[in-house]
Amino acid sequence: MNFKEIITNKRRQTSKVPISRNLTEELASDHSRIIYSPSFRRLSKKAQVFSLESNAAVRTRITHSLEVSDVGRLIAYAVAKELLEKKEISEELQLPIIYAVENACLVHDIGNPPFGHFGEMAIQRWFTDNWKSCYKKAGNVKVINKRIKELIKDFLHFDGNPQGLRILLRLKRDRDEFSYNLTYTTILSFIKYVRSPLEKKDNELKKKAGYFESERKIIEDIKGELGISKDARYPLAYIMEAADDIAYCISDIEDGIEKKVIKETEFFEELNSEWQKECKSGTKTNFPFSFPPKTDYGEDGFFAFKISYTQKAVQSATNYFVNRIDKLLAGKDGSLFPQGCEELKAFDCLKKVARKKLFRSPEAENAELAGLQIVMGLLEKFKPLLDCTLEQFNKLIAGRDNPKIVAGQNLDVEWRLFNRLPKKYVLAYEDQLREFSEQDFPEWYFRAHLIVDYISGMTDVFALEQYQLLSGIKIVQER
């Protein structure tokens, strides 16, 4: 397998506009589709670490994504340049490789729910506690069939990565059912993990779900068309993952310094301490990527460290990709960086400092705990829609065009809750009912996705406002 075989301008839906574009222009079109989309803009109101933050200098998901795309572009540029010099690729693939990585980096967090990992946890916990009673009530059944027990794992193991793929493949429903209709190259560069929640975690590439069961066939068909094993990661996804690791390891710390949660000198001391613990030989060695952390750098100490760290991390990532090109093309390795290498140990040290000094701070924990209750509370408020029978739910849908259908049906609360769901999500729900058979995919499964699509797409602020409104705490003027 080589890059020429797997970098393509193919899309799920052929463009209806008769424009002749080359491979580079098609990947550039993907970039435009992403940055002009509402889901991407909403990342500006989703937290990276500190939720509901008023300090504009502290990162949101959108600023983090832009930084990841910058690091990804630097790595991809260096990789493409070296591969071109070694005649591993032709010149016509140089820019498409760069664009594909940049695109994947821009959307790598697009599926994150409000309040990040605590939003994910809230969805997991709520469905663990409630799905059986909802399903039984909606279907008027006492025994739950095997198939829904399998499919419910989408929610019991909910994650922002597969939710992001739903956004890219289904939920931008302003034109048709193909959503962004990105090239296969951008889509596969986005997918970090290579299984659905129904499949086993038997290696590093399967430690989490990369797509829900509802999108599994689409991804397997795309891979099959390009001759890629369904268990293999697309090679450019390794660069996206590395760019994310490089960017967030240092940016989270910088945000903590900006908020005065941690001092620069304290950061260097903690990093030094963690790195010496990591050095198993007993010999004290310098932290990789940068000069030895000290406590006397003055005001520019962290800035100098960040620049040196980023430059050297990018170079290391480039070297590993180029030198291990055959393995990465096969898509079976767990990471761009080899297991046990110095770089992975360095990332782990930075993450340990962040966990100890930032994630345990009241500034982070208070918002996370509140976010957990907000997202679980929103699911509880929308529970009546999951309790509806299929007949009742169909009346709610039909009532959008003819409200008389709902009148006198004792669905007053359900009707008002249903009217809060954006039309695009309802259309995506209806698309999936047409796409899949009821026998293999019960309607209630797609209804659950519909509710989660709406809530997980909310920004932190909007989720808080909707929770206050539906709890009767505060009447929010709709925007």
Side-chain angles (χ1 to χ4, degrees), residues 162-439:
Q163 184 63 29
L165 192 61
R166 273 184 67 79
I167 292 171
L168 299 180
L169 294 179
R170 297 193 186 278
L171 302 183
K172 188 178 178 294
R173 191 54 174 78
D174 48 355
R175 295 185 64 186
D176 55 35
E177 67 269 29
F178 296 100
S179 193
Y180 288 71
N181 196 30
L182 301 173
T183 61
Y184 291 177
T185 301
T186 291
I187 290 171
L188 294 179
S189 298
F190 165 84
I191 300 173
K192 191 186 296 188
Y193 303 109
V194 295
R195 69 171 179 90
S196 82
L198 276 65
E199 298 169 281
K200 293 180 180 178
K201 313 180 192 179
D202 52 12
N203 62 48
E204 189 68 14
L205 294 179
K206 295 183 178 181
K207 69 178 182 180
K208 294 170 74 175
Y211 39 83
F212 292 131
E213 190 64 13
S214 51
E215 285 68 59
R216 177 179 58 79
K217 186 175 186 306
I218 295 174
I219 299 308
E220 290 181 356
D221 285 350
I222 289 173
K223 284 186 170 182
E225 198 169 334
L226 298 182
I228 299 171
S229 165
K230 71 174 187 177
D231 294 327
R233 178 188 275 179
Y234 194 68
L236 299 184
Y238 286 102
I239 300 179
M240 178 272 290
E241 180 185 46
D244 186 25
D245 281 340
I246 292 168
Y248 90 79
C249 278
I250 202 72
S251 63
D252 289 355
I253 297 291
E254 188 171 36
D255 284 347
I257 293 171
E258 170 66 27
K259 283 182 60 65
K260 298 182 170 51
V261 174
I262 184 174
K263 295 179 180 178
E264 287 191 18
T265 53
E266 185 182 8
F267 161 68
F268 287 128
E269 289 167 2
E270 288 289 339
L271 183 59
N272 241 334
S273 173
E274 291 296 338
W275 180 246
Q276 299 313 325
K277 291 177 193 173
E278 197 65 50
C279 299
K280 302 198 177 176
S281 64
T283 305
K284 293 188 179 295
T285 59
N286 295 337
F287 184 76
F289 302 143
S290 189
F291 42 79
K294 296 181 181 178
T295 59
D296 58 352
Y297 286 146
E299 292 184 2
D300 293 332
F302 185 84
F303 178 78
F305 172 81
K306 180 178 76 169
I307 297 302
S308 176
Y309 158 84
T310 304
Q311 290 174 341
K312 292 181 181 178
V314 166
Q315 187 58 56
S316 289
T318 302
N319 292 341
Y320 278 125
F321 193 95
V322 173
N323 294 335
R324 300 168 63 233
I325 186 69
D326 291 337
K327 284 189 174 183
L328 297 177
L329 276 169
K332 298 295 184 180
D333 276 16
S335 167
L336 188 154
F337 298 100
Q339 200 64 34
C341 72
E342 197 174 59
E343 289 83 358
L344 284 181
K345 293 177 183 177
F347 294 148
D348 192 48
C349 286
L350 285 164
K351 292 172 187 177
K352 285 178 180 176
V353 175
R355 281 195 294 269
K356 186 190 298 185
K357 292 297 179 178
L358 301 186
F359 304 156
R360 292 181 183 175
S361 67
E363 290 87 345
E365 288 187 340
N366 290 349
E368 288 173 336
L369 290 171
L372 181 72
Q373 296 306 314
I374 289 167
V375 176
M376 289 185 73
L378 285 169
L379 286 163
E380 189 65 28
K381 298 302 179 187
F382 280 89
K383 183 173 179 285
L385 294 180
L386 294 174
D387 287 340
C388 283
T389 65
L390 177 56
E391 181 183 5
Q392 289 172 327
F393 196 70
N394 282 338
K395 285 179 179 177
L396 296 176
I397 294 175
R400 274 201 153 161
D401 295 325
N402 184 4
K404 289 183 180 179
I405 293 174
V406 184
Q409 298 295 316
N410 196 26
L411 293 170
D412 295 327
V413 173
E414 291 81 357
W415 172 236
R416 284 156 179 80
L417 289 171
F418 180 81
N419 287 336
R420 306 195 74 77
L421 301 177
K423 185 177 181 181
K424 61 183 178 181
Y425 294 145
V426 178
L427 289 173
Y429 157 84
E430 293 175 319
D431 290 339
Q432 290 166 95
L433 292 182
R434 288 188 289 270
E435 181 180 342
F436 297 95
S437 71
E438 171 68 21
Q439 183 178 356

Side-chain angles (χ1 to χ4, degrees), residues 132-141 383 386-389:
K132 288 182 181 178
S133 63
C134 290
Y135 183 74
K136 285 180 178 179
K137 188 172 183 179
N140 193 23
V141 297
K383 183 173 179 285
L386 294 174
D387 287 340
C388 283
T389 65

